[in-house]
Amino acid sequence: MTTTPAHVIADDAEALRTAAALADEFRPGAAGRDASRTLPRAELDRLSATGLLAVTVPAAYGGADVRAETLAEVFRLLATADPSLAQIPQSHFAYVNVLRRQGTDEQRKFFFGELLAGRRLGNAQSEAGTRHIQDIRTRLVPLPDGSYRLEGVKHYATGALFAHWIPVLARAANEDLHVAFVPRDAPGLEVVDDWDGMGQRTTAGGTVRLDAVAVPADRVVPHHLTFEGPQLHGAVAQLLHAAIDVGIAGGALAEAVEFVRTKSRPWFESGFDRADEDPLLVQRFGELSIQLRAAEALLSAAGRAVDAASADLTDDSAAEASVAVAAVRAFAAGVAVDTGSAVFEVSGTRSALDALNLNRHWRDARTHTLHDPARWKVQHIGRYVLNGIRPPRHGLL
């Protein structure tokens, strides 16, 4: 893992330029990394070194503190090139927000300094075999000297394998949620690379085992307090998920365009010499482009809603932001899956060859959109529009 001091990005414009350049750099190797499941260690070190992982550090602590709209665009750009690589730091930014909202000044100084130096946060959040996603059984056990002991097993721990610090979601004796920030090499902490999903293959979202892991008191943050008032924790986290879906769709459509223009043969009944002149294909590409443009517009609108709420956080502004994010998340999920499938529809039989690995777009979309169900987002939007019921504060909206 990188130990080279990272560049410090100055502002939103530099963040966007850096993300676009990295996307161009990462795109050529994405299909090969997916096909061979080559984990992107070098690419992540490169990402850290550019300073992109510290762009939400507040200005008071030396960071650029970029807008949510900018951060979403950074993720969209990276996901057009390599959705697995874009997915890895999603939790990193979610836990930066935990520190921003609930960390002490000393905790912020320390961890924001780590981020500015290029350190990465992973995640040890979800658990398997429980009643539901919020049934967290990992325990934070208080010890007589004021420190804690962590016990539990986590799954789908995207980013943990590549992290310097692993935020662990755990319950205290009174069931309150806390986040314990644990060094990747802490005694008793084991990260197992056992992720074998059909898509997002190189995220290494495997298992984290915690066996009597010692945690100092100053490495624990009271996450339950995040949800006691108006909050944007869920909105920002979901905004980044939506950006990944929009990026997957954009990457798939761009590859389909290139394939049809350079490799596809026209259908003999069309009467044209080139596939890209076939009016039925032209029609389908137009439809796919409209869907993508709509998803991109919803993503930008949601980012602006989050930024507006951040500037004036109330129950109403937080609800507006959550609804805006839920809208793009629900819509973009369908667009990503549809576009990933349409790659084959428009490209023809040759596009199904394993050697081309075009199926990675659909696999990535189908896997990533399973993170949490779009149908519940539509429910919350409907309740808000029809009856003025604000979305719940559970961190997934």
Side-chain angles (χ1 to χ4, degrees), residues 54-95:
V55 294
T56 58
V57 170
Y61 295 89
D65 200 7
V66 303
R67 299 188 305 272
E69 184 181 5
T70 297
L71 186 62
E73 180 63 5
V74 165
F75 269 75
R76 188 196 70 80
L77 287 166
L78 293 175
T80 63
D82 187 337
S84 287
L85 191 52
Q87 176 65 29
I88 290 169
Q90 190 272 340
S91 290
H92 169 101
F93 284 99
Y95 286 105

Side-chain angles (χ1 to χ4, degrees), residues 1-12:
M1 291 184 287
T2 182
T3 56
T4 303
H7 171 70
V8 177
I9 286 176
D11 52 30
D12 294 67

Side-chain angles (χ1 to χ4, degrees), residues 12 80 91 107 130 161 166 194 201 209 236 250 266 275:
D12 294 67
T80 63
S91 290
Q107 287 172 327
T130 57
L161 189 68
I166 300 179
D194 56 0
R201 286 179 173 175
R209 296 193 177 96
V236 173

Side-chain angles (χ1 to χ4, degrees), residues 311-330:
D312 182 19
L313 188 59
T314 65
D315 284 329
D316 287 337
S317 66
E320 285 288 337
S322 289
V323 167
V325 172
V328 64
R329 186 82 165 92

